[in-house]
Amino acid sequence: MNDATGFRAGTRGGGNAAAGTGWREGRLTEQNARVLVRLSAALAGGDDGELRAALRTASATVPVTAVEEALLQSYLFLGFPAALSGLATWREVSGNPPEQDGFADGPTEWATRGEDVCRIVYGRAYEKLRGNVRRVHPALDRWMIVEGYGKVLARPGLDLGTRETCIVAILAATAREPQLHSHLRGALHAGAPPARVQYALEQGLRCTRDAGWAARVGALWERVRDRVDRTPRGEGQV
């Protein structure tokens, strides 16, 4: 069954590895984007049954490249052990063998793309973010841009709006409030529909039993929506 990307579910596709703006490409249908949001929340929640169910759904409906990009990017927020485990379970559930990674450029290109993507996610707060992270440690600022935004989040195969809503689900599940605040705004800046961002929060909160955290998330989301609604059109947006 073909989706809006033009790729058949269970097959490779979704981006040109040579494209400098691959993170703008590989847009999914809303249904398939939500499948990846649910998958990201399940991975963060650590329940093997939930993860396997989400992976089976993804295998049946979502292009393979998009699924693997969602799993790969999780290492930035959940660590290598979770990403490795998630991808190993994906191989078992889907039966899809790994392919050679064609995204073969290097740190110079990562830095350039990383700055571009980070500016979209943070909008007017970009320079403030860079200054704040440099004050914590200059190496973290460099790694954030080159490793996080350039090498990982700027990869082709999955559009930035879908990436950001998957990240929102992970951060809601793991109760990382400052980062959740940033990526709620980033998801909207990257063009994700507010209803999908709301869905990502709901999926992430399903992994927690903390009513206080859920209440704080609801209040935070209301503030973010209100602030982004008042941002001049086009600022910080793809």
Side-chain angles (χ1 to χ4, degrees), residues 114-135:
E115 289 178 350
D116 289 344
V117 173
C118 191
R119 282 184 188 277
I120 288 170
V121 170
Y122 281 86
R124 289 181 295 179
Y126 171 77
E127 295 296 344
K128 181 179 179 181
L129 165 78
R130 299 293 303 274
N132 288 343
V133 176
R134 278 193 292 267
R135 281 190 289 275

Side-chain angles (χ1 to χ4, degrees), residues 121 149 153 159-168 182-183 186-187 190:
V121 170
Y149 286 96
L153 300 183
D159 67 279
L160 186 59
T162 302
R163 287 187 181 277
E164 284 291 310
T165 45
C166 289
I167 292 166
V168 164
S182 298
H183 288 281

Side-chain angles (χ1 to χ4, degrees), residues 130-185:
R130 299 293 303 274
N132 288 343
V133 176
R134 278 193 292 267
R135 281 190 289 275
V136 173
H137 201 292
L140 284 178
D141 174 59
R142 184 171 65 254
W143 295 346
M144 174 182 71
I145 295 299
V146 175
E147 177 84 6
Y149 286 96
K151 191 174 84 171
V152 179
L153 300 183
R155 285 171 60 90
L158 190 61
D159 67 279
L160 186 59
T162 302
R163 287 187 181 277
E164 284 291 310
T165 45
C166 289
I167 292 166
V168 164
I170 289 172
L171 296 173
T174 53
R176 299 292 183 180
E177 188 165 355
Q179 291 76 25
L180 178 60
H181 185 186
S182 298
H183 288 281
L184 283 171
R185 295 175 63 195

